[in-house]
Structure formats: structure tokens, C-alpha cells
Amino acid sequence: MKFIAATLFLAAQITGGFAAAVSSAAAECGSLGVLDINDLPAGVDLSALRKCAGHPLGHTRDLKKTTYNPLTPEEIERAQSAKLDARSVIPVLSGRAANACWFGASSGCTDGYCWKTCGNNGEWCWTAANGGSGNWLQCNSANQCGSGEACGKGCKKSKACGCSC
């Protein structure tokens, strides 16, 4: 009987500790939300997960604070044949923050974070370590960012880190 009581007490302590950890992460992350560990790709290192789901910059890049790698011939052709619409031309012409589709370089660095293109229709994403579930990749210039990096994962409730425009 003492064993059962001790086991129940220990289980209650562990459950309470887990709930406190989740509550603490929710308070720390705020509007970024807590990383959804139910939607992680296979093979991720569980000890290297980030706490917060969303990206600190949301899904907005300030084009005035962005550096790019040199364009490849394929990227130049894609950019020249892109059909600009209101979502893409206004931010480009005004120079203000843009989350519109991107038809330029395949990767870059904005406000200290790496991003890459990830689709054929101008989609882009912030990149993260650990298969997209780790810390957001940081940079000082575009040459520290690559198009082979993983798009951010675990934030399916928002477009803040996934492949989208």
C-alpha cells in the first residue's frame, strides 16, 4: 500500500512539474505560441527544440534591412518572368516591410535571421536548425544563409514560419 501511495505521489509531482513547464513556456512565448511537438518531422533531436513556435519577426521582412546572395541565372530568369501583383509590387516599390511572394535570390538575411525561398510561386520561410524545429538561424549577412536549410516547423496555426507568401 505504501508503494502505491508513493507512486501516486511521484506521478502527481511529475505531472504538476510538466504543467508548470508548459505554463512557463506559454508565458515566455506570449503571442508566438509554444512549439507544437505533435507535428515534428522524424529524426529531430528532442533536446534541441526551441520553446516558441512563431518567428520573432513574424512573417515580415524589411527589405531595407535585407542582404541577398548573388542571383543565379535561374533566379534572374524567374524574377524577370514573375507577374507582379498588388501584393508584390507595392512593397517592392515602397521599400517597406514585405511578406509578399518573393522572386529574387533563393536565400537571404533580414534583421539578423536567415530565410529561403521554398516554392515555385514565390513562397518563402524563416529557417531553423534541427530539421526546422530548433533555434531560428541567425546571420550578419546573406552568405551565412543557404537555400538548403530547413523551413521552420511547428507553427501550423500561423504563417509565421512556414512556407507561404
Side-chain angles (χ1 to χ4, degrees):
M1 189 60 137
K2 286 183 183 179
F3 176 75
I4 294 172
T7 303
L8 290 174
F9 176 75
L10 181 59
Q13 292 296 319
I14 292 171
T15 303
F18 179 72
V22 170
S23 176
S24 172
E28 181 180 332
C29 293
S31 64
L32 296 177
V34 177
L35 183 70
D36 180 0
I37 61 171
N38 296 313
D39 189 32
L40 297 177
V44 300
D45 179 359
L46 297 178
S47 67
L49 297 175
R50 65 180 181 274
K51 283 184 186 178
C52 304
H55 193 276
L57 299 179
H59 197 62
T60 302
R61 297 170 298 171
D62 186 339
L63 299 178
K64 290 181 180 177
K65 297 178 182 177
T66 298
T67 60
Y68 313 96
N69 286 315
L71 294 175
T72 66
E74 295 81 20
E75 291 167 341
I76 292 170
E77 184 178 335
R78 185 178 66 222
Q80 290 172 341
S81 65
K83 293 180 181 173
L84 296 178
D85 60 19
R87 289 188 312 153
S88 59
V89 74
I90 293 171
V92 170
L93 294 177
S94 68
R96 63 190 170 110
N99 64 345
C101 295
W102 175 255
F103 296 97
S106 61
S107 63
C109 177
T110 300
D111 275 343
Y113 291 98
C114 293
W115 56 266
K116 71 172 194 167
T117 57
C118 52
N120 295 327
N121 297 311
E123 299 93 346
W124 65 276
C125 67
W126 297 112
T127 58
N130 195 21
S133 302
N135 291 330
W136 297 110
L137 296 179
Q138 295 187 309
C139 53
N140 292 316
S141 68
N143 64 359
Q144 296 172 310
C145 304
S147 60
E149 305 295 345
C151 286
K153 304 277 189 263
C155 61
K156 61 184 177 183
K157 293 182 180 175
S158 74
K159 296 187 331 182
C161 69
C163 183
S164 62
C165 294

